[in-house]
Amino acid sequence: MDKPFVVTGGRRFTKIEEQMIWQKPTSHKTSKEELRIAAEIKMNWLDPEMKVMNVLLEGDAGSGKTQLARALSADLQLPYTKVTCFADMDKTDIFGALLPIVKTDNEEDHELLEAIYQADSLQAVLGVIENHFQIDANQAKIRFQQLIKRIDQEDEATTVEYKFYPSEIVRAMQKGYLLEIQEPTVIRDASVLVALNSALEPNGLLNIPTGIIRRHPDCVVIVTTNRNYQGNRPLNESLRDRMQHAEKMDLPSVDVMIERAIAKTTYEDRDYLEVMALIIRLLDETAKVNAIKGVAGMRSYFFWVNSLKQGQDPLETIFPKVLYKLTTDENELKILQDALEESRLLTKLQQLKNQQKMQQGRKISQAEADDRNIFEESEEATLVSEPNQSISEDVSETNEQLAEEDPVKETTRGENTAIDEAAERGDAEAQSTSASMDEQEKVGSAMSLDEMTEMDKTKRKELNREIRATLKETIHAKEGTILHRPTIDESAIADGKKLTQIVQPEVASLSRVINDLLAKEVSTDYATGKYYGAKFNPSRVAYGDLRNFDKKNPPNEQPSLALAVRVDESGSMLKEDRIQNAKLAAVALSLFAEQTKIPLMLYGDSADLSQREKTSIYSYKEFEDGYDFLAAKISTMKPRQNNRDGVPLKLLAEKLSQQTADTKVLLSISDGQPKALPDYTGSKAQADIQQVLDDYERKGILFIACAIGDDKDQLRSLYGEGHFVDISDISKLSEQLLQLIARFV
């Protein structure tokens, strides 16, 4: 191995000294400071006047000072040793000390006394002496008498000798090691380190009780000290002046931090590593500016990254791994958290987490797998449907590069659709039509239309109050947002049945696969195949694995996924059967959610139906609603007017954030950019939507914009690459969305 900085080529070391030479681990990344210092030492090694023998490394904790000192041991091929200073250090700690050695006149007495201490009577003492020395009873008595006489001879003086025990500093200077002196600035007595001044000279001397020690020509001293920390004092000027080279050690660049983290932890997701490195640097700078004494350095970074590698949530582990190492003071923590909020770095971290879920799906823990009786990997199975009813393995096709963003279109969306405003208002506010139907015709319902109508009246008032509260502090507070509960009749029910029949085969196929993988349970109340439980299951005996019991599931079991869906009902959805495919997708998602017990919420929206009603929200299903007549309600979706995207996204995200599921997905099915009167478009609309994304991604919401129209590149830019799915073939919208959602279950 090439070692260009070796200065001890002709020197012979003992085996112990060879072991003291630091060996660089594979995780070590050579820094520019290391190369600079090693080159300086090597270049001037043979120059008696300009030899670099004393180096000062001054910087923040965790900046790599000790790692650099050890690395120089490997570069120069010098044995490494260190001394860590403390506040009450005195000159004896610097040079060493004379300590007494007590020597007894007969070494055998040690063995005899040890044996006697094991006995509790004279006879037992003699027996112990016999056994210990393998002698007979008479000899044991003689031995015991001799011991008593020696103890009784008070005039016999104990021999006391003294020996000088040199300090590690003296040993390193005498033998020619690389010596790291850590934190000398904590020493309270300023005169202590002054005693080292002469030793730090190129031909320095140390005057110790056993004589004068001359500094070995190979000895290199590395002084490492923190900067402006509690307990630290300014480094003595005379000592600082004797340093031939000094380095200001700050946190390395982000690129270097990433490389070191990869080498140290083997975690290689550079997107995560970059954001986490930026957070560490921000916290470090904020702490310095606000005189917070804690440390956010490379050690915190490495352990935080390692927790991410182990599958822990970095938004949760940032507290024990980083923030609480800086401080636990509430006021100081607020300063740090405010800085993080302002930087939006935590939002970026949440976005990365959401993107990872979107790309990879959710991998359940072993505990969750045990609870669900899943005994094999399910990654492939979630993507496989039954024969002759295949579902595309591709969730979506994304463009490889972003097209240049077109100027925002100034024409009002929906101009090509003639929609009478009065008719729209009539549809929105009309009462439901009573219809007499057989129970079999009540598709997905346990109540009559009249019962549902009465319930929706009350529900609509309640939901409108909630909307006003949610939008109170937004730009939409005075825009006139009204929520409707879609009304249906026999025609809508018939249309709903047709939609259901179209998507039912693929929904049933995928639902069976998912339920087989995740359920494998006797019922929703009991998990089967347990070693113990409340119910004996004789059908399990044949397996011979002793899993013969059914165990009641805990009452607080939470769903793994909650889903909120927004369907754009703007006028342009009339084109190319977009609204029809959106209906099919909505029905498919609702059926899938019902069969897999996924909490579901479904909204449609439009804008500018009237001066009074700037935003119209159509609540097809709230999380707490059942699936009564849902397909029929979805069949009433239609192209209307404009769209004010920020409102439905805000409303859905707020309710979705209150769900207890592990994963919370918000799907927005839209064919174009936001456009509403008087000026909701362009940068204003983008800023509004981005604000919603920022606010709720921090709460764990994963936004996915499903683009089905001509403005795909604009939507990609609006929502961001990580939140965008391009549904190129609109006829496969429901199929692709089902496949996408299945990955999160």
Side-chain angles (χ1 to χ4, degrees), residues 421-440:
E421 180 176 304
E424 288 294 331
R425 294 291 299 146
D427 285 342
E429 296 177 350
Q431 298 296 319
S432 67
T433 302
S434 297
S436 71
M437 294 171 289
D438 296 334
E439 287 299 318
Q440 292 181 348

Side-chain angles (χ1 to χ4, degrees), residues 92-104:
T92 61
D93 297 305
I94 295 293
F95 298 116
L98 283 170
L99 299 175
I101 303 173
V102 179
K103 183 179 179 181
T104 60

Side-chain angles (χ1 to χ4, degrees), residues 100-170:
I101 303 173
V102 179
K103 183 179 179 181
T104 60
D105 62 337
N106 191 339
E107 294 295 335
E108 285 189 357
D109 286 352
H110 288 296
E111 295 183 53
L112 184 56
L113 288 171
E114 286 295 331
I116 290 174
Y117 291 154
Q118 301 175 36
D120 55 5
S121 67
L122 177 59
Q123 211 44 47
V125 167
L126 295 175
V128 168
I129 294 174
E130 287 181 42
N131 293 331
H132 185 75
F133 293 104
Q134 295 297 305
I135 55 180
D136 59 28
N138 290 329
Q139 290 174 323
K141 290 179 181 179
I142 294 172
R143 284 274 185 122
F144 187 62
Q145 290 171 353
Q146 291 172 346
L147 175 63
I148 297 299
K149 287 181 180 180
R150 284 198 298 274
I151 294 175
D152 288 341
Q153 291 174 354
E154 295 180 359
D155 57 337
E156 183 176 345
T158 301
T159 303
V160 180
E161 297 180 357
Y162 287 86
K163 180 179 179 180
F164 178 74
Y165 292 89
S167 69
E168 196 65 16
I169 294 175
V170 170

Side-chain angles (χ1 to χ4, degrees), residues 544-580:
D545 58 2
L546 303 181
R547 297 175 179 267
N548 302 330
F549 293 89
D550 296 344
K551 185 178 180 182
K552 189 172 182 62
N553 290 327
N556 61 346
E557 209 170 56
Q558 298 176 353
S560 63
L561 171 68
L563 176 63
V565 181
R566 174 253 177 163
V567 178
D568 175 6
E569 295 189 45
S570 61
S572 58
M573 288 288 284
L574 182 66
K575 299 178 182 178
E576 301 170 356
D577 290 330
R578 293 173 188 172
I579 194 65
Q580 181 66 15

Side-chain angles (χ1 to χ4, degrees), residues 596-741:
T596 55
K597 297 180 174 58
I598 295 172
L600 173 71
M601 183 176 181
L602 175 61
Y603 274 8
D605 66 275
S606 187
D608 303 326
L609 294 185
S610 71
Q611 288 297 319
R612 185 174 69 88
E613 187 172 350
K614 289 298 183 76
T615 306
S616 304
I617 300 295
Y618 301 91
S619 170
Y620 296 100
K621 184 184 182 303
E622 301 288 331
F623 279 120
E624 64 272 18
D625 291 343
Y627 288 84
D628 303 275
F629 295 108
L630 183 53
K633 290 180 178 180
I634 292 172
S635 73
T636 66
M637 287 181 179
K638 65 174 70 175
R640 303 179 195 272
Q641 289 288 351
N642 298 325
N643 57 314
R644 195 182 301 272
D645 294 25
V647 176
L649 293 178
K650 170 80 172 178
L651 299 176
L652 286 165
E654 176 62 28
K655 292 197 174 183
L656 185 56
S657 68
Q658 298 169 16
Q659 292 295 301
T660 57
D662 298 329
T663 305
K664 304 169 187 179
V665 178
L666 196 161
L667 283 180
S668 176
I669 302 173
S670 177
D671 71 333
Q673 303 176 72
K675 179 73 174 179
L677 298 175
D679 58 354
Y680 190 80
T681 187
S683 58
K684 180 177 181 179
Q686 182 169 3
D688 180 45
I689 293 172
Q690 286 294 333
Q691 185 64 52
V692 175
L693 266 61
D694 289 347
D695 290 345
Y696 288 95
E697 280 184 320
R698 288 290 311 280
K699 298 180 180 181
I701 306 298
L702 170 57
F703 292 87
I704 304 176
C706 304
I708 59 175
D710 300 326
D711 293 342
K712 293 174 183 177
D713 290 335
Q714 286 76 12
L715 286 173
R716 189 198 306 268
S717 176
L718 182 63
Y719 284 87
E721 185 68 37
H723 305 286
F724 178 82
V725 175
D726 182 357
I727 308 296
S728 300
D729 187 352
I730 191 173
S731 65
K732 295 183 178 180
L733 175 61
S734 58
E735 185 177 326
Q736 293 190 48
L737 291 184
L738 280 175
Q739 191 66 31
L740 175 62
I741 295 304

Side-chain angles (χ1 to χ4, degrees), residues 11 24 225 268 447 489 576 580 613 623 631 698:
R11 182 173 165 184
K24 291 183 180 180
T225 181
E268 297 184 349
M447 65 173 69
D489 54 18
E576 301 170 356
Q580 181 66 15
E613 187 172 350
F623 279 120
R698 288 290 311 280

Side-chain angles (χ1 to χ4, degrees), residues 105-258:
D105 62 337
N106 191 339
E107 294 295 335
E108 285 189 357
D109 286 352
H110 288 296
E111 295 183 53
L112 184 56
L113 288 171
E114 286 295 331
I116 290 174
Y117 291 154
Q118 301 175 36
D120 55 5
S121 67
L122 177 59
Q123 211 44 47
V125 167
L126 295 175
V128 168
I129 294 174
E130 287 181 42
N131 293 331
H132 185 75
F133 293 104
Q134 295 297 305
I135 55 180
D136 59 28
N138 290 329
Q139 290 174 323
K141 290 179 181 179
I142 294 172
R143 284 274 185 122
F144 187 62
Q145 290 171 353
Q146 291 172 346
L147 175 63
I148 297 299
K149 287 181 180 180
R150 284 198 298 274
I151 294 175
D152 288 341
Q153 291 174 354
E154 295 180 359
D155 57 337
E156 183 176 345
T158 301
T159 303
V160 180
E161 297 180 357
Y162 287 86
K163 180 179 179 180
F164 178 74
Y165 292 89
S167 69
E168 196 65 16
I169 294 175
V170 170
R171 194 167 75 95
M173 290 194 167
Q174 185 178 27
K175 294 181 177 292
Y177 297 160
L178 186 144
L179 169 67
E180 180 189 1
I181 302 178
Q182 296 182 338
E183 311 302 340
T185 54
V186 303
I187 301 175
R188 278 198 287 260
D189 187 350
S191 66
V192 172
L193 278 181
V194 176
L196 270 177
N197 284 353
S198 61
L200 292 176
E201 299 291 346
N203 296 311
L205 301 175
L206 285 175
N207 191 355
I208 62 176
T210 57
I212 294 178
I213 299 295
R214 183 177 297 276
R215 177 174 179 171
H216 194 287
D218 288 350
C219 179
V220 174
V221 176
I222 309 292
V223 176
T224 60
T225 181
N226 288 327
R227 184 171 53 226
N228 300 326
Y229 283 8
Q230 187 171 359
N232 289 80
R233 295 165 180 79
L235 192 63
N236 178 275
E237 289 82 356
S238 61
L239 190 65
R240 183 185 286 273
D241 187 54
R242 283 169 169 78
M243 300 292 111
Q244 292 104 5
H245 187 94
E247 287 284 349
K248 179 176 178 286
M249 299 291 289
D250 294 315
L251 281 174
S253 67
V254 170
D255 290 339
V256 173
M257 291 178 71
I258 291 172

